[in-house]
Amino acid sequence: NYNDCTSSYPNEACVSEDEFVINCGEGMACKASWDITTSKVSIPEALATEAQGNPTDPEIIESVCYTRLAEPYLVTKFERDTYYWSQYNVSPSWSYFGAHNGMFRQIPATHREQCGSYDHRRRPWFVAASSGPKDLVLVLDISGSMNDYGRLNLMKEAAITVIETLSVADKVAVVTFSDDATVLNDEFVLVRATKENKDRLIAAINKINVNGATNFHAAYTKTFDLLEETFKKESTTGCNVAVLFMTDGQLTTGPGPDQVIELVNSKAEEFQ
């Protein structure tokens, strides 16, 4: 198998005139190279645990091997698509397969500027295919303790990464909490995960500051009120519902753990 970092492809050639052009600097431009006769494999950097950048996980290695069987089909499909779309002066779409473990196979075979930088599991097309449309509420702890040990930045990074994986088939909202809870959406319902709405939520998350105590009961009460209002206005996807709760785990004010668990269990039963 060929990878997108160190491999020399057997039939590498310049990309055709009507394909993409890379900006090489002031007053310069250069076309990339590719190989339309073979596929390439890539894995995220964290999975390239062998000295030369190869995976050591047996499951990933197996995925690389069994997807090689699809290569003749991918090559033939690209040839047929090229012929068909050339009649309309349109370039064919590239074909690819992404496994749940991080292995990615693509044709045409191309090289990446930065090895291991691509992880298809974070892309909306993969998340949408693996989970289907969903209603997602991110519940973020912004109490004072989140300022310790870089927790706030880790939470922001995780929340933004999740939002970036969403597609227009999804609905999303963000709830922040400390002493009390607040909804970051402009309106008190989940909104469609369009680029505009995602950018707005990401901007709001980046502006978060921490202060106060940690009230789990207020956070869950606001979350379930938000979901109920969304259902009442028929603004849901009608599919899966997920609540992603991000906290350092220290409840310091409001009703205790037993009341919080009772609230969550009773509301979960209502939504089933």
Side-chain angles (χ1 to χ4, degrees), residues 17-250:
E17 291 289 342
D18 56 347
E19 290 291 337
F20 59 82
V21 173
I22 299 174
N23 184 6
C24 294
E26 185 177 354
M28 301 175 61
C30 58
K31 291 183 297 182
S33 62
W34 65 3
D35 189 339
I36 62 174
T37 68
T38 190
S39 63
K40 67 90 178 276
V41 169
S42 65
I43 56 174
E45 183 179 20
L47 303 178
T49 50
E50 191 263 342
Q52 296 184 353
N54 293 314
T56 56
D57 186 330
E59 183 182 14
I60 298 177
I61 295 172
E62 182 181 16
S63 297
V64 172
C65 292
Y66 77 68
T67 58
R68 183 67 183 272
L69 298 174
E71 186 175 79
Y73 166 76
L74 295 174
V75 171
T76 302
K77 180 180 182 300
F78 189 79
E79 291 175 351
R80 291 174 177 172
D81 288 351
T82 300
Y83 171 75
Y84 175 80
W85 289 110
S86 67
Q87 303 173 75
Y88 305 97
N89 294 320
V90 175
S91 300
S93 298
W94 295 9
S95 296
Y96 45 81
F97 169 83
H100 70 281
N101 52 30
M103 194 286 304
F104 182 77
R105 184 180 291 277
Q106 171 195 296
I107 186 170
T110 58
H111 290 104
R112 250 176 226 292
E113 292 185 41
Q114 183 177 353
C115 295
S117 60
Y118 182 74
D119 189 342
H120 63 274
R121 296 171 297 179
R122 295 186 174 185
R123 301 299 303 153
W125 62 264
F126 182 86
V127 176
S130 58
S131 66
K134 55 195 165 294
D135 299 321
L136 174 65
V137 183
L138 293 167
V139 188
L140 310 181
D141 184 350
I142 60 169
S143 62
S145 61
M146 290 295 290
N147 211 28
D148 298 335
Y149 308 107
R151 294 167 183 163
L152 177 63
N153 289 333
L154 289 173
M155 182 186 69
K156 286 182 177 181
E157 182 181 353
I160 290 171
T161 298
V162 170
I163 290 174
E164 288 175 340
T165 67
L166 302 177
S167 74
V168 292
D170 303 314
K171 296 290 187 73
V172 62
V174 177
V175 173
T176 59
F177 72 96
S178 55
D179 296 293
D180 202 355
T182 303
V183 177
L184 294 188
N185 294 39
D186 291 339
E187 50 186 321
F188 198 71
V189 292
L190 276 73
V191 297
R192 189 167 297 283
T194 62
K195 184 181 186 305
E196 181 182 3
N197 286 333
K198 291 195 295 184
D199 288 346
R200 187 181 297 114
L201 289 173
I202 289 172
I205 290 171
N206 279 324
K207 294 178 182 178
I208 286 175
N209 293 312
V210 297
N211 189 34
T214 309
N215 190 332
F216 285 3
H217 199 275
Y220 278 115
T221 298
K222 185 71 72 173
T223 298
F224 288 121
D225 287 348
L226 175 65
L227 287 169
E228 287 178 352
E229 186 67 17
T230 301
F231 293 153
K232 186 185 301 181
K233 292 184 176 180
E234 298 183 348
S235 183
T236 75
T237 62
C239 297
N240 300 313
V241 178
V243 175
L244 185 56
F245 198 89
M246 298 187 187
T247 178
D248 59 0
Q250 187 75 24

